[in-house]
Amino acid sequence: MKKLINEIDNIVDEMLDGMTAAYPQYVKRLDGLDVLVRAGGSEGKVALVSGGGSGHEPAHGGFVGKGMLDGAVAGAVFTSPTPDQVYEAIMAANGGKGVLLVIKNYTGDVMNFEMAADMAADEGVEVEKVVVADDVAVENSTWTTGRRGIAGTIFVHKLAGACAEAGGDLATVKAVAEKVIANVRSMGMAVDACTVPAAGKPSFDLAEDEIEIGIGIHGEPGVNREKISSVNEIADKLLAKILDEGIYGEGDEVAVMVNGMGGTPLMELFVANKHIAEVLAGKGIKIYKTLVGNFMTSLDMEGFSITLLKLDDELKPLLDAPADTPAFVQV
């Protein structure tokens, strides 16, 4: 295993300190905790708190800032943060208007975030929750009941965050988040697996000419292993599964995210995006906005995921609203 690290046990701690050293204008770390919150606070607005295991950078701390998150909780690599850490994030991010928890659908995350919400409610903080389950690859998995939450979570952060920034109350912000969840779908693939530092070996083995279709973001293998083909053919398979959901059709407007899994060159992501744009145009689906890059990664995994979000007149202005975070800036 080759990793640019010091001690395996200190990776998350050093990563969070490195992020706050790089972006003190955006984030501050709570003393003794694996929690980042807005440097300037979140007074007078609904606060959004998200998080999960580390290894998905820039998620989730990279999206703390104006127009997106108010707090992010980092667990150990691919491990849910504890209820106590989530509770401290809620209490620190709370600006007096309530807190919305954005949770990816993994059993540990759902359980621990819900426990933290109950703890905060006992202290008089109004907390609501949404669970993102956008992965069309599997209906259930080793770590979930129901579909996994993957890169579509970023669209929830962006649009619900914009609503909160504009002064929406907690019920309104939650309703926007739920609308995004209902209209977002994703699927991913891997050319090569990731290596969790503590494990010291790839999470699954692929032959030189094999790829994995339908992977998760925690190094989970996919639903189908096959011979590698052109990126156009791979994108067709991912898109077909997404479009089979039946919620995207001719005349619809969508936002597209082509998300790198951590070890994929941008060159390859843009090649994939070219074909995705052509396929959607051929089906009469209009692309309103495209995001290409690393948003929800899986350490050093090589591969990509595709996310589609169906838009309407309510969601488009929220997608277009300004954001200013370490990993996402939009003016």
Side-chain angles (χ1 to χ4, degrees):
M1 179 183 73
K2 293 181 180 178
K3 293 284 185 184
L4 296 174
I5 61 177
N6 295 309
E7 297 295 329
I8 288 175
D9 292 343
N10 296 337
I11 290 175
V12 174
D13 184 58
E14 293 183 346
M15 180 265 291
L16 292 173
D17 282 347
M19 185 177 290
T20 54
Y23 304 112
Q25 72 273 36
Y26 290 109
V27 296
K28 65 179 180 181
R29 184 178 179 182
L30 300 187
D31 289 343
L33 298 168
D34 294 338
V35 175
L36 299 178
V37 295
R38 289 196 194 188
S42 304
E43 193 65 31
K45 66 178 289 294
V46 170
L48 268 69
V49 172
S50 190
S54 296
H56 305 304
E57 291 73 31
H60 297 79
F63 301 111
V64 172
K66 180 180 178 181
M68 293 188 78
L69 298 178
D70 299 87
V73 197
V77 175
F78 294 170
T79 302
S80 175
T82 65
D84 287 346
Q85 299 255 7
V86 180
Y87 165 79
E88 295 293 349
I90 293 169
M91 301 305 289
N94 178 37
K97 299 294 184 179
V99 178
L100 179 68
L101 299 182
V102 181
I103 310 165
K104 300 188 303 302
N105 189 34
Y106 294 94
T107 302
D109 285 359
V110 172
M111 178 177 66
N112 290 347
F113 275 72
E114 287 182 344
M115 289 176 62
D118 291 341
M119 293 161 63
D122 289 342
E123 298 295 325
V125 178
E126 188 177 5
V127 182
E128 292 287 352
K129 307 176 291 291
V130 295
V131 178
V132 187
D134 56 309
D135 185 5
V136 303
V138 293
E139 289 301 324
N140 295 285
S141 74
T142 304
W143 293 358
T144 66
T145 299
R147 291 177 168 180
R148 303 174 294 205
I150 55 174
T153 308
I154 306 306
F155 279 132
V156 182
H157 294 168
K158 175 65 187 71
L159 279 75
C163 181
E165 206 71 51
D169 62 19
L170 185 56
T172 302
V173 175
K174 181 181 180 181
V176 166
E178 290 177 330
K179 188 173 188 178
V180 175
I181 290 167
N183 288 282
V184 70
R185 300 290 188 275
S186 304
M187 188 167 175
M189 61 78 60
V191 173
D192 208 356
C194 64
T195 298
V196 176
K201 61 182 181 180
S203 54
F204 53 86
D205 294 317
L206 288 172
E208 223 19 69
D209 62 347
E210 289 181 328
I211 61 172
E212 195 85 9
I213 301 290
I215 47 86
I217 58 171
H218 299 97
E220 308 101 311
V223 296
N224 186 43
R225 184 167 297 183
E226 58 190 54
K227 298 297 184 182
I228 191 167
S229 54
S230 71
V231 70
N232 287 3
E233 292 172 292
I234 294 168
D236 283 339
K237 291 174 183 177
L238 302 182
L239 270 178
K241 185 76 168 162
I242 293 170
L243 295 175
D244 280 349
E245 293 286 289
I247 63 173
Y248 311 101
E250 185 174 359
D252 287 338
E253 289 185 280
V254 299
V256 176
M257 179 185 297
V258 182
N259 172 63
M261 300 309 298
T264 312
L266 280 171
M267 173 185 284
E268 296 175 19
L269 298 182
F270 284 120
V271 172
N273 183 64
K274 173 183 180 293
H275 185 65
I276 293 164
E278 291 168 350
V279 171
L280 294 178
K283 294 182 178 296
I285 300 173
K286 181 181 177 183
I287 298 175
Y288 182 77
K289 180 167 288 187
T290 301
L291 303 177
V292 178
N294 289 317
F295 300 97
M296 179 76 71
T297 64
S298 183
L299 292 170
D300 54 345
M301 181 180 284
E302 294 180 42
F304 73 102
S305 63
I306 301 172
T307 299
L308 298 186
L309 170 63
K310 184 177 177 179
L311 298 169
D312 61 13
D313 290 341
E314 178 187 22
L315 297 184
K316 284 191 288 186
L318 297 173
L319 181 61
D320 288 339
D324 190 14
T325 78
F328 190 99
V329 177
Q330 180 170 279
V331 296

